Structures are given as C-alpha cells and as structure tokens.
Amino acid sequence: MKILGTGSVVPKKLVTNDMLSEFLDTSDEWITTRTGIGTRHVISDEHLEDMAAEAALKAIEMSGKKPGDFDLFICSNVVNEYVTPSLACVISEKIGLSCPCFDVNAACPGFMFTLDIAESYYKAGRVKTVLIVCADEPTRMCDWADRSTCVLFGDGAAAVVLGEGDNILATRLHSQPSVDKLWERRVLEPTPYITKTEVNTPLQMKGRDVFKFAVTASTTEVEALLESIGKTKDDVSYYIVHQANMRIIDAIKNYLGEPESKFPTNIADHGNSSSASCTILLDSCVRNGLFKEGDLIVFSAFGAGLLSGAAAIVW
Ligand code: COA
C-alpha cells in the first residue's frame, strides 16, 4: 500500500515539568535529563474519540478520498471511555464511515500492527483503501502520585490513509510476553457470583527492564527488517522511532551507528502518547515536507506485552 494522507490532533492542555513538580517530588532537571521530555499535551475536557475523529478527517482530506471509498478501518487503542462498541465504531459514526472496522490493542507499537494488518488485507486482494487511527490517552492509566510513571506520558490521536501502491516494503512484528514489566488492571462490574478479589491497579512499570527491551528489540528488528528487503542502513533516509524516552532513542541511534539527523523527534514537546507517538511524529514530518519521493523510512516501536514492531516504507 501507499500512504496517501496523515493527520493528528493533540489536547490543548500543555503540562510542563515545573507544573508536575508542584505536586510531585520531581524536577525539570530530573525529567529532562532522564527522559528528554519538557512538556506534554494532557487530556482535560476533550474526549479521545473527538480528537481521533478530527485527526481522521485531516488525513482523509489530505488523501483526497471520501468516506465511501474506505474498505477497512483499523483503530489502535489501549483504553478509552467506551468499553463497547470499539473506538473504531465510535469514530466511524462521527466521520460517516460504514466499512468494517475494529480496534487493535498492541500498545505502543500499535501503528506497526495496524499497518501489517492493512497490508495483509491488501495483498490478499480484499481492500484498496484503508484508514488507520492511532488514538491513546495513557495519562488516564497512570497514578498521578507516582512520579516514576506519570511524568512520561502525553495524549493524542493521529491517522493515516493507505491506498493502492507498493510503498510498504516490509513489516515485522515481535512478541516477548512479560506482563509484569508494564501493566494496568481494572475492576469489572460485580455479579452475584464473583468470589475472587479484584483490585484497581494503575499503570505499573519496571522502567529499566522496559528500557533494555526497547533498545534490544528495536535494533534487532530494524536490522532484520533491512536484511529482509536487501537494504542497508546507508539506504535509510529517516527512522521514526517510538517517542518513549530520548535516552532510548539515543541508544538505538548509537547502536545502529546512525547520525542524529536521521532521527526526527517530538518527545520534548509530547512525551509518550503510546501508539499515537509514531503517527503524530509521522504527520508533522509529512506536513513539514521532510520526506522526499524515494526516501526510505523505517518505523520502530516497542511497549507493553512486551511487543515490538518495525516497518519500512518508501516515500
Ligand atoms: N523525579 C525524580 N526522581 C525520580 C522520578 C522522577 N519523576 N522517577 C523516579 N525517580 C527516582 C527513583 O525513585 C530512583 O530513586 P532512588 O535511587 O532513590 O531509588 C531514581 O530516580 C532512579 O530511578 P531509576 O528508575 O533507576 O531511573 P532510570 O534512570 O532508570 O529512569 C525511567 C527511569 C522510567 C525514566 C527509565 O527507566 C525509562 O525511561 N524506562 C523506559 C520507560 C518507558 O519508556 N516506558 C514506556 C515504553 S512504551
């Protein structure tokens, strides 16, 4: 397939590190040094589905497609206010889509998972035009008294329209199940028969373990991805890496031996917005005219699961 349009929307509320240090035992110095994050957009009065619908309409407008042209809509999301129907259904109603749609929860690498599904449907001859939306609100998963997690995240939504083409050269998905590294649980509705104990547990993370997984999985998958398509790092124009932590991005860059100029970032202004991260960054690169025709762009993301994904796209 080929990317025909992109769009993104972030919440209006900007939270600085100094604002966090008003109620947390933290500092701008600690957060900036350990993560590279300066500010993040945090949901206040917005609903995620409204931001996602607006991002989708922006991408559709850029693509020149109409709602009736879409054969499939896949939404990457971890949590939102609706348990059912899927966020994809909620967005579809808002933007007038009537094609089959569903959600994928693959955490932060959700864009690569949705891209892989779309490309597989396309190669099977079942679709020609696909909408992908990556919408996440990880700030609603954190305990805001826990300085080790809440400082890392921001919210947002971004969309990609895919049409006919052969620009997606390869996708790679990887799973290394290890739930206790990054997880959240919630209590479900009670019934007269429930005898087990259920506890609401906000996002828990073993930061150092996730850090190590991220760097290893990303570098291993990127090298395998390039080898699978007969390309080398010299052929790569840009890496769009999950915006989780600037130190993770730097470690990936150093391991691959690639220059900083190949790694556009937005982590300083956005923090980690889960699967929306890569797609928000993609949209800003597209709208700023960074990519030129023929550029080879490599995507890499990692997160809860533990899962990781990579993709190579010719612009
Ligand atoms: N402000 C100030 N101090 C903080 C803090 C904060 N926001 N968060 C943690 N600390 C403290 C810790 O309590 C610890 O104190 P101690 O030494 O007295 O116990 C100290 O800082 C070091 O903590 P540590 O966890 O070892 O720091 P770190 O260098 O590993 O950085 C992360 C922590 C979370 C920034 C880092 O591990 C990381 O980015 N991991 C990956 C997380 C991620 O990206 N997850 C999502 C992936 S999708």
Short mmCIF file of all heavy atoms in Angstrom, two decimals, residues 20 24-31 33-37 107-109 146-153 181-182 203 205-214 242-248 267 272 274-275 301-304 306-307, ligand 1:
data_model
loop_
_atom_site.label_atom_id
_atom_site.label_comp_id
_atom_site.label_asym_id
_atom_site.label_seq_id
_atom_site.Cartn_x
_atom_site.Cartn_y
_atom_site.Cartn_z
N LEU A 20 4.47 19.77 37.07
CA LEU A 20 4.46 18.46 37.75
C LEU A 20 5.15 18.56 39.11
O LEU A 20 4.73 17.93 40.09
CB LEU A 20 5.15 17.40 36.89
CG LEU A 20 4.46 17.06 35.57
CD1 LEU A 20 5.31 16.09 34.77
CD2 LEU A 20 3.08 16.45 35.82
N LEU A 24 4.49 16.82 42.75
CA LEU A 24 5.28 15.59 42.81
C LEU A 24 6.69 15.91 43.28
O LEU A 24 7.19 17.01 43.00
CB LEU A 24 5.41 14.97 41.41
CG LEU A 24 4.23 14.22 40.81
CD1 LEU A 24 4.58 13.86 39.36
CD2 LEU A 24 3.93 12.96 41.60
N ASP A 25 7.33 14.95 43.92
CA ASP A 25 8.73 15.12 44.31
C ASP A 25 9.60 14.84 43.08
O ASP A 25 10.17 13.75 42.92
CB ASP A 25 9.06 14.14 45.46
CG ASP A 25 10.51 14.28 45.91
OD1 ASP A 25 11.16 15.27 45.52
OD2 ASP A 25 10.98 13.37 46.62
N THR A 26 9.63 15.81 42.17
CA THR A 26 10.41 15.68 40.94
C THR A 26 10.91 17.05 40.53
O THR A 26 10.67 18.04 41.23
CB THR A 26 9.55 15.03 39.82
OG1 THR A 26 10.38 14.73 38.72
CG2 THR A 26 8.42 15.95 39.36
N SER A 27 11.63 17.12 39.41
CA SER A 27 12.16 18.42 38.98
C SER A 27 12.30 18.41 37.47
O SER A 27 12.42 17.35 36.83
CB SER A 27 13.54 18.65 39.61
OG SER A 27 14.44 17.67 39.11
N ASP A 28 12.31 19.61 36.90
CA ASP A 28 12.54 19.75 35.46
C ASP A 28 13.87 19.12 35.09
O ASP A 28 14.00 18.43 34.08
CB ASP A 28 12.51 21.24 35.08
CG ASP A 28 12.80 21.47 33.61
OD1 ASP A 28 12.16 20.80 32.78
OD2 ASP A 28 13.69 22.28 33.29
N GLU A 29 14.86 19.30 35.95
CA GLU A 29 16.21 18.77 35.69
C GLU A 29 16.18 17.24 35.60
O GLU A 29 16.72 16.66 34.67
CB GLU A 29 17.15 19.25 36.81
CG GLU A 29 18.62 19.25 36.45
CD GLU A 29 19.31 17.96 36.86
OE1 GLU A 29 18.84 17.35 37.83
OE2 GLU A 29 20.30 17.57 36.18
N TRP A 30 15.49 16.58 36.57
CA TRP A 30 15.46 15.10 36.57
C TRP A 30 14.74 14.61 35.31
O TRP A 30 15.23 13.73 34.59
CB TRP A 30 14.73 14.56 37.81
CG TRP A 30 14.93 13.07 38.00
CD1 TRP A 30 15.85 12.46 38.80
CD2 TRP A 30 14.21 12.01 37.35
NE1 TRP A 30 15.76 11.09 38.69
CE2 TRP A 30 14.75 10.79 37.80
CE3 TRP A 30 13.18 11.95 36.42
CZ2 TRP A 30 14.29 9.53 37.38
CZ3 TRP A 30 12.72 10.70 35.98
CH2 TRP A 30 13.28 9.52 36.47
N ILE A 31 13.57 15.19 35.03
CA ILE A 31 12.76 14.68 33.91
C ILE A 31 13.48 14.92 32.58
O ILE A 31 13.56 14.02 31.72
CB ILE A 31 11.35 15.32 33.90
CG1 ILE A 31 10.61 15.00 35.20
CG2 ILE A 31 10.55 14.82 32.71
CD1 ILE A 31 9.30 15.76 35.38
N THR A 33 16.73 15.36 32.01
CA THR A 33 17.95 14.55 31.88
C THR A 33 17.63 13.08 31.64
O THR A 33 18.27 12.43 30.81
CB THR A 33 18.79 14.65 33.18
OG1 THR A 33 18.82 15.99 33.58
CG2 THR A 33 20.20 14.16 32.96
N ARG A 34 16.64 12.54 32.37
CA ARG A 34 16.37 11.09 32.28
C ARG A 34 15.48 10.72 31.11
O ARG A 34 15.45 9.55 30.71
CB ARG A 34 15.69 10.59 33.55
CG ARG A 34 16.44 10.83 34.83
CD ARG A 34 17.59 9.86 34.99
NE ARG A 34 18.29 10.09 36.24
CZ ARG A 34 18.55 9.16 37.13
NH1 ARG A 34 18.18 7.90 36.93
NH2 ARG A 34 19.21 9.45 38.23
N THR A 35 14.71 11.69 30.59
CA THR A 35 13.73 11.31 29.56
C THR A 35 13.77 12.18 28.30
O THR A 35 13.27 11.76 27.26
CB THR A 35 12.28 11.39 30.11
OG1 THR A 35 11.92 12.77 30.27
CG2 THR A 35 12.15 10.68 31.44
N GLY A 36 14.26 13.40 28.41
CA GLY A 36 14.21 14.32 27.26
C GLY A 36 12.87 15.01 27.10
O GLY A 36 12.65 15.74 26.13
N ILE A 37 11.95 14.79 28.06
CA ILE A 37 10.61 15.38 27.95
C ILE A 37 10.58 16.74 28.67
O ILE A 37 11.03 16.85 29.82
CB ILE A 37 9.54 14.44 28.57
CG1 ILE A 37 9.54 13.09 27.84
CG2 ILE A 37 8.15 15.10 28.49
CD1 ILE A 37 8.76 11.99 28.56
N ALA A 107 -0.62 -1.89 22.21
CA ALA A 107 0.10 -0.87 22.98
C ALA A 107 0.90 0.05 22.06
O ALA A 107 0.45 0.39 20.97
CB ALA A 107 0.96 -1.54 24.06
N CYS A 108 2.09 0.43 22.49
CA CYS A 108 2.82 1.49 21.76
C CYS A 108 3.17 1.14 20.32
O CYS A 108 3.17 2.02 19.47
CB CYS A 108 4.07 1.88 22.54
SG CYS A 108 3.67 2.47 24.20
N PRO A 109 3.51 -0.13 19.99
CA PRO A 109 3.78 -0.41 18.57
C PRO A 109 2.52 -0.62 17.74
O PRO A 109 2.56 -1.22 16.66
CB PRO A 109 4.65 -1.67 18.61
CG PRO A 109 4.35 -2.32 19.89
CD PRO A 109 3.86 -1.28 20.85
N ASP A 146 2.43 8.88 41.34
CA ASP A 146 3.59 8.02 41.07
C ASP A 146 4.52 8.74 40.09
O ASP A 146 4.31 8.73 38.88
CB ASP A 146 3.12 6.67 40.51
CG ASP A 146 4.27 5.76 40.15
OD1 ASP A 146 5.45 6.14 40.37
OD2 ASP A 146 4.01 4.67 39.61
N ARG A 147 5.58 9.34 40.62
CA ARG A 147 6.49 10.15 39.78
C ARG A 147 7.24 9.31 38.75
O ARG A 147 7.79 9.85 37.80
CB ARG A 147 7.48 10.90 40.68
CG ARG A 147 8.43 9.98 41.42
CD ARG A 147 9.42 10.75 42.27
NE ARG A 147 10.37 9.83 42.91
CZ ARG A 147 11.40 10.22 43.61
NH1 ARG A 147 11.62 11.50 43.80
NH2 ARG A 147 12.21 9.32 44.15
N SER A 148 7.30 7.99 38.99
CA SER A 148 8.09 7.16 38.06
C SER A 148 7.32 6.85 36.77
O SER A 148 7.91 6.35 35.80
CB SER A 148 8.53 5.86 38.73
OG SER A 148 7.42 5.03 38.95
N THR A 149 6.01 7.11 36.74
CA THR A 149 5.26 6.84 35.50
C THR A 149 4.60 8.09 34.91
O THR A 149 4.73 8.35 33.72
CB THR A 149 4.16 5.77 35.72
OG1 THR A 149 3.36 6.16 36.85
CG2 THR A 149 4.74 4.40 35.94
N CYS A 150 3.89 8.88 35.75
CA CYS A 150 3.03 9.92 35.16
C CYS A 150 3.80 11.01 34.44
O CYS A 150 3.25 11.67 33.55
CB CYS A 150 2.08 10.51 36.21
SG CYS A 150 2.89 11.59 37.40
N VAL A 151 5.08 11.19 34.75
CA VAL A 151 5.84 12.25 34.08
C VAL A 151 6.17 11.88 32.62
O VAL A 151 6.58 12.74 31.84
CB VAL A 151 7.17 12.56 34.83
CG1 VAL A 151 6.89 12.92 36.28
CG2 VAL A 151 8.15 11.40 34.75
N LEU A 152 5.98 10.60 32.28
CA LEU A 152 6.45 10.12 30.98
C LEU A 152 5.44 10.29 29.84
O LEU A 152 5.82 10.23 28.68
CB LEU A 152 6.79 8.61 31.06
CG LEU A 152 7.82 8.19 32.11
CD1 LEU A 152 7.91 6.68 32.18
CD2 LEU A 152 9.18 8.79 31.76
N PHE A 153 4.15 10.48 30.18
CA PHE A 153 3.13 10.31 29.15
C PHE A 153 2.41 11.59 28.75
O PHE A 153 2.31 12.54 29.51
CB PHE A 153 2.10 9.27 29.62
CG PHE A 153 2.71 7.90 29.81
CD1 PHE A 153 3.12 7.47 31.05
CD2 PHE A 153 2.92 7.08 28.72
CE1 PHE A 153 3.71 6.22 31.23
CE2 PHE A 153 3.51 5.83 28.87
CZ PHE A 153 3.90 5.40 30.13
N LYS A 181 6.18 -6.37 33.32
CA LYS A 181 7.07 -5.23 33.03
C LYS A 181 6.29 -3.93 32.83
O LYS A 181 6.80 -2.84 33.05
CB LYS A 181 7.91 -5.50 31.76
CG LYS A 181 8.77 -6.76 31.82
CD LYS A 181 9.91 -6.61 32.80
CE LYS A 181 10.89 -7.74 32.72
NZ LYS A 181 10.35 -9.05 33.15
N LEU A 182 5.03 -4.05 32.36
CA LEU A 182 4.24 -2.85 32.05
C LEU A 182 2.78 -3.27 31.98
O LEU A 182 2.38 -3.97 31.04
CB LEU A 182 4.72 -2.29 30.70
CG LEU A 182 4.23 -0.93 30.23
CD1 LEU A 182 4.40 0.14 31.27
CD2 LEU A 182 4.97 -0.52 28.96
N LEU A 203 -1.21 2.10 36.13
CA LEU A 203 -0.06 1.62 35.35
C LEU A 203 1.17 1.34 36.22
O LEU A 203 1.59 2.20 36.99
CB LEU A 203 0.29 2.68 34.30
CG LEU A 203 1.24 2.18 33.19
CD1 LEU A 203 0.52 1.26 32.23
CD2 LEU A 203 1.83 3.38 32.45
N MET A 205 5.19 -0.11 36.05
CA MET A 205 6.25 -0.30 35.06
C MET A 205 7.59 -0.58 35.71
O MET A 205 7.96 0.08 36.68
CB MET A 205 6.37 0.96 34.20
CG MET A 205 7.41 0.83 33.09
SD MET A 205 7.45 2.29 32.05
CE MET A 205 8.05 3.50 33.21
N LYS A 206 8.30 -1.58 35.15
CA LYS A 206 9.69 -1.80 35.53
C LYS A 206 10.53 -1.07 34.49
O LYS A 206 10.87 -1.62 33.44
CB LYS A 206 10.00 -3.30 35.57
CG LYS A 206 9.24 -4.00 36.69
CD LYS A 206 9.65 -5.43 36.88
CE LYS A 206 8.96 -5.99 38.13
NZ LYS A 206 8.82 -7.44 38.11
N GLY A 207 10.79 0.20 34.80
CA GLY A 207 11.37 1.11 33.81
C GLY A 207 12.66 0.61 33.18
O GLY A 207 12.83 0.68 31.97
N ARG A 208 13.55 0.09 34.01
CA ARG A 208 14.86 -0.33 33.46
C ARG A 208 14.72 -1.54 32.53
O ARG A 208 15.41 -1.64 31.52
CB ARG A 208 15.82 -0.65 34.60
CG ARG A 208 16.23 0.62 35.30
CD ARG A 208 17.32 0.39 36.29
NE ARG A 208 17.80 1.68 36.77
CZ ARG A 208 18.96 1.87 37.36
NH1 ARG A 208 19.76 0.86 37.53
NH2 ARG A 208 19.32 3.06 37.77
N ASP A 209 13.82 -2.47 32.91
CA ASP A 209 13.60 -3.65 32.05
C ASP A 209 12.99 -3.24 30.71
O ASP A 209 13.36 -3.76 29.66
CB ASP A 209 12.67 -4.65 32.75
CG ASP A 209 13.31 -5.28 33.97
OD1 ASP A 209 14.56 -5.24 34.05
OD2 ASP A 209 12.59 -5.79 34.84
N VAL A 210 12.02 -2.31 30.78
CA VAL A 210 11.39 -1.84 29.53
C VAL A 210 12.43 -1.13 28.67
O VAL A 210 12.47 -1.31 27.45
CB VAL A 210 10.20 -0.90 29.84
CG1 VAL A 210 9.62 -0.33 28.55
CG2 VAL A 210 9.11 -1.62 30.62
N PHE A 211 13.27 -0.35 29.31
CA PHE A 211 14.34 0.36 28.59
C PHE A 211 15.21 -0.64 27.82
O PHE A 211 15.46 -0.48 26.62
CB PHE A 211 15.17 1.14 29.61
CG PHE A 211 16.09 2.18 29.04
CD1 PHE A 211 15.86 3.53 29.27
CD2 PHE A 211 17.19 1.83 28.26
CE1 PHE A 211 16.70 4.51 28.74
CE2 PHE A 211 18.03 2.78 27.74
CZ PHE A 211 17.79 4.13 27.97
N LYS A 212 15.66 -1.69 28.52
CA LYS A 212 16.56 -2.68 27.88
C LYS A 212 15.84 -3.38 26.73
O LYS A 212 16.40 -3.58 25.66
CB LYS A 212 17.01 -3.72 28.91
CG LYS A 212 18.13 -3.24 29.79
CD LYS A 212 18.59 -4.35 30.73
CE LYS A 212 19.11 -3.73 32.02
NZ LYS A 212 18.91 -4.55 33.19
N PHE A 213 14.58 -3.80 26.99
CA PHE A 213 13.81 -4.47 25.93
C PHE A 213 13.69 -3.55 24.72
O PHE A 213 13.88 -3.99 23.57
CB PHE A 213 12.41 -4.86 26.43
CG PHE A 213 11.50 -5.29 25.31
CD1 PHE A 213 11.61 -6.57 24.77
CD2 PHE A 213 10.55 -4.42 24.79
CE1 PHE A 213 10.78 -6.97 23.71
CE2 PHE A 213 9.72 -4.81 23.74
CZ PHE A 213 9.84 -6.09 23.20
N ALA A 214 13.36 -2.29 24.96
CA ALA A 214 13.13 -1.34 23.86
C ALA A 214 14.35 -1.25 22.95
O ALA A 214 14.24 -1.35 21.72
CB ALA A 214 12.78 0.03 24.44
N HIS A 242 9.53 5.10 18.18
CA HIS A 242 8.57 5.40 19.25
C HIS A 242 9.16 6.42 20.22
O HIS A 242 10.27 6.25 20.73
CB HIS A 242 8.20 4.10 19.97
CG HIS A 242 7.29 4.32 21.13
ND1 HIS A 242 6.23 5.19 21.08
CD2 HIS A 242 7.28 3.79 22.38
CE1 HIS A 242 5.61 5.19 22.25
NE2 HIS A 242 6.23 4.36 23.06
N GLN A 243 8.39 7.46 20.50
CA GLN A 243 8.86 8.58 21.33
C GLN A 243 8.57 8.28 22.81
O GLN A 243 7.66 8.84 23.41
CB GLN A 243 8.19 9.87 20.89
CG GLN A 243 8.39 10.19 19.42
CD GLN A 243 9.83 10.56 19.08
OE1 GLN A 243 10.32 11.60 19.52
NE2 GLN A 243 10.51 9.73 18.30
N ALA A 244 9.35 7.36 23.38
CA ALA A 244 9.14 6.97 24.78
C ALA A 244 10.10 7.68 25.70
O ALA A 244 9.73 8.11 26.80
CB ALA A 244 9.29 5.46 24.94
N ASN A 245 11.33 7.81 25.27
CA ASN A 245 12.38 8.36 26.11
C ASN A 245 13.55 8.73 25.20
O ASN A 245 13.99 7.91 24.40
CB ASN A 245 12.81 7.30 27.14
CG ASN A 245 13.89 7.81 28.07
OD1 ASN A 245 14.82 8.48 27.65
ND2 ASN A 245 13.77 7.47 29.33
N MET A 246 14.06 9.95 25.30
CA MET A 246 15.15 10.39 24.43
C MET A 246 16.38 9.52 24.60
O MET A 246 17.12 9.28 23.64
CB MET A 246 15.48 11.86 24.74
CG MET A 246 16.27 12.54 23.65
SD MET A 246 15.38 12.56 22.08
CE MET A 246 16.73 12.44 20.95
N ARG A 247 16.58 9.00 25.83
CA ARG A 247 17.76 8.14 26.04
C ARG A 247 17.61 6.82 25.31
O ARG A 247 18.61 6.24 24.88
CB ARG A 247 17.98 7.91 27.54
CG ARG A 247 18.52 9.15 28.26
CD ARG A 247 18.99 8.80 29.65
NE ARG A 247 17.92 8.23 30.44
CZ ARG A 247 18.05 7.34 31.41
NH1 ARG A 247 19.24 6.89 31.73
NH2 ARG A 247 17.01 6.88 32.06
N ILE A 248 16.37 6.33 25.18
CA ILE A 248 16.15 5.10 24.40
C ILE A 248 16.45 5.38 22.93
O ILE A 248 17.15 4.61 22.26
CB ILE A 248 14.70 4.58 24.57
CG1 ILE A 248 14.45 4.12 26.00
CG2 ILE A 248 14.41 3.44 23.57
CD1 ILE A 248 13.02 3.62 26.27
N ILE A 267 9.60 14.15 21.16
CA ILE A 267 9.42 13.76 22.56
C ILE A 267 9.50 14.96 23.51
O ILE A 267 8.79 15.00 24.51
CB ILE A 267 10.41 12.66 22.97
CG1 ILE A 267 10.16 12.26 24.42
CG2 ILE A 267 11.86 13.06 22.77
CD1 ILE A 267 10.43 10.88 24.76
N ASN A 272 5.37 10.48 25.81
CA ASN A 272 5.00 9.21 25.19
C ASN A 272 3.48 9.13 25.09
O ASN A 272 2.80 9.02 26.10
CB ASN A 272 5.56 8.08 26.07
CG ASN A 272 5.20 6.69 25.58
OD1 ASN A 272 4.39 6.52 24.66
ND2 ASN A 272 5.80 5.68 26.20
N SER A 274 1.87 6.65 23.56
CA SER A 274 1.61 5.26 23.16
C SER A 274 1.59 5.15 21.64
O SER A 274 2.46 5.71 20.98
CB SER A 274 0.31 4.78 23.82
OG SER A 274 0.19 3.40 23.68
N SER A 275 0.60 4.46 21.07
CA SER A 275 0.65 4.22 19.61
C SER A 275 0.47 5.50 18.80
O SER A 275 0.78 5.52 17.61
CB SER A 275 -0.40 3.19 19.20
OG SER A 275 -1.70 3.72 19.29
N ALA A 301 8.81 0.62 16.96
CA ALA A 301 8.16 0.94 18.23
C ALA A 301 8.13 -0.29 19.12
O ALA A 301 8.25 -1.43 18.65
CB ALA A 301 6.75 1.48 17.99
N PHE A 302 7.92 -0.07 20.43
CA PHE A 302 8.01 -1.13 21.43
C PHE A 302 7.15 -0.74 22.61
O PHE A 302 6.88 0.46 22.82
CB PHE A 302 9.48 -1.26 21.88
CG PHE A 302 10.15 0.09 21.88
CD1 PHE A 302 9.97 0.98 22.93
CD2 PHE A 302 10.91 0.50 20.79
CE1 PHE A 302 10.54 2.24 22.90
CE2 PHE A 302 11.49 1.79 20.76
CZ PHE A 302 11.29 2.66 21.83
N GLY A 303 6.69 -1.72 23.37
CA GLY A 303 5.88 -1.35 24.53
C GLY A 303 5.29 -2.56 25.23
O GLY A 303 5.80 -3.69 25.09
N ALA A 304 4.19 -2.31 25.97
CA ALA A 304 3.60 -3.34 26.83
C ALA A 304 3.34 -4.62 26.06
O ALA A 304 2.99 -4.61 24.88
CB ALA A 304 2.30 -2.81 27.43
N LEU A 306 5.53 -7.95 26.39
CA LEU A 306 6.19 -6.87 25.64
C LEU A 306 6.06 -7.12 24.13
O LEU A 306 6.26 -8.27 23.69
CB LEU A 306 7.67 -6.76 26.03
CG LEU A 306 7.87 -6.39 27.51
CD1 LEU A 306 9.30 -6.61 27.96
CD2 LEU A 306 7.47 -4.96 27.79
N LEU A 307 5.79 -6.08 23.38
CA LEU A 307 5.64 -6.19 21.94
C LEU A 307 6.56 -5.18 21.26
O LEU A 307 6.85 -4.12 21.81
CB LEU A 307 4.20 -5.86 21.51
CG LEU A 307 3.07 -6.78 21.98
CD1 LEU A 307 1.73 -6.20 21.53
CD2 LEU A 307 3.24 -8.19 21.43
N1 COA B 1 11.63 12.55 39.54
C1 COA B 1 12.64 12.40 40.38
N2 COA B 1 13.15 11.21 40.74
C2 COA B 1 12.58 10.13 40.19
C3 COA B 1 11.49 10.20 39.30
C4 COA B 1 11.02 11.48 38.97
N3 COA B 1 9.99 11.68 38.10
N4 COA B 1 11.14 8.95 38.92
C5 COA B 1 11.97 8.12 39.56
N5 COA B 1 12.84 8.82 40.33
C6 COA B 1 13.90 8.32 41.19
C7 COA B 1 13.71 6.89 41.62
O1 COA B 1 12.85 6.82 42.73
C8 COA B 1 15.13 6.48 41.94
O2 COA B 1 15.44 6.96 43.20
P1 COA B 1 16.33 6.06 44.20
O3 COA B 1 17.66 5.89 43.51
O4 COA B 1 16.40 6.90 45.44
O5 COA B 1 15.60 4.77 44.35
C9 COA B 1 15.96 7.27 40.92
O6 COA B 1 15.12 8.32 40.45
C10 COA B 1 16.43 6.45 39.77
O7 COA B 1 15.33 5.69 39.29
P2 COA B 1 15.51 4.71 38.11
O8 COA B 1 14.22 4.03 37.85
O9 COA B 1 16.70 3.84 38.32
O10 COA B 1 15.86 5.74 36.93
P3 COA B 1 16.16 5.46 35.44
O11 COA B 1 17.42 6.13 35.06
O12 COA B 1 16.00 4.00 35.06
O13 COA B 1 15.00 6.27 34.70
C11 COA B 1 12.92 5.87 33.58
C12 COA B 1 13.65 5.89 34.92
C13 COA B 1 11.48 5.43 33.83
C14 COA B 1 12.94 7.28 33.00
C15 COA B 1 13.64 4.89 32.63
O14 COA B 1 13.86 3.65 33.23
C16 COA B 1 12.86 4.68 31.36
O15 COA B 1 12.65 5.59 30.59
N6 COA B 1 12.42 3.44 31.09
C17 COA B 1 11.61 3.15 29.96
C18 COA B 1 10.23 3.63 30.24
C19 COA B 1 9.37 3.70 29.04
O16 COA B 1 9.73 4.32 28.08
N7 COA B 1 8.21 3.06 29.12
C20 COA B 1 7.23 3.08 28.12
C21 COA B 1 7.68 2.26 26.99
S1 COA B 1 6.40 2.12 25.85
#
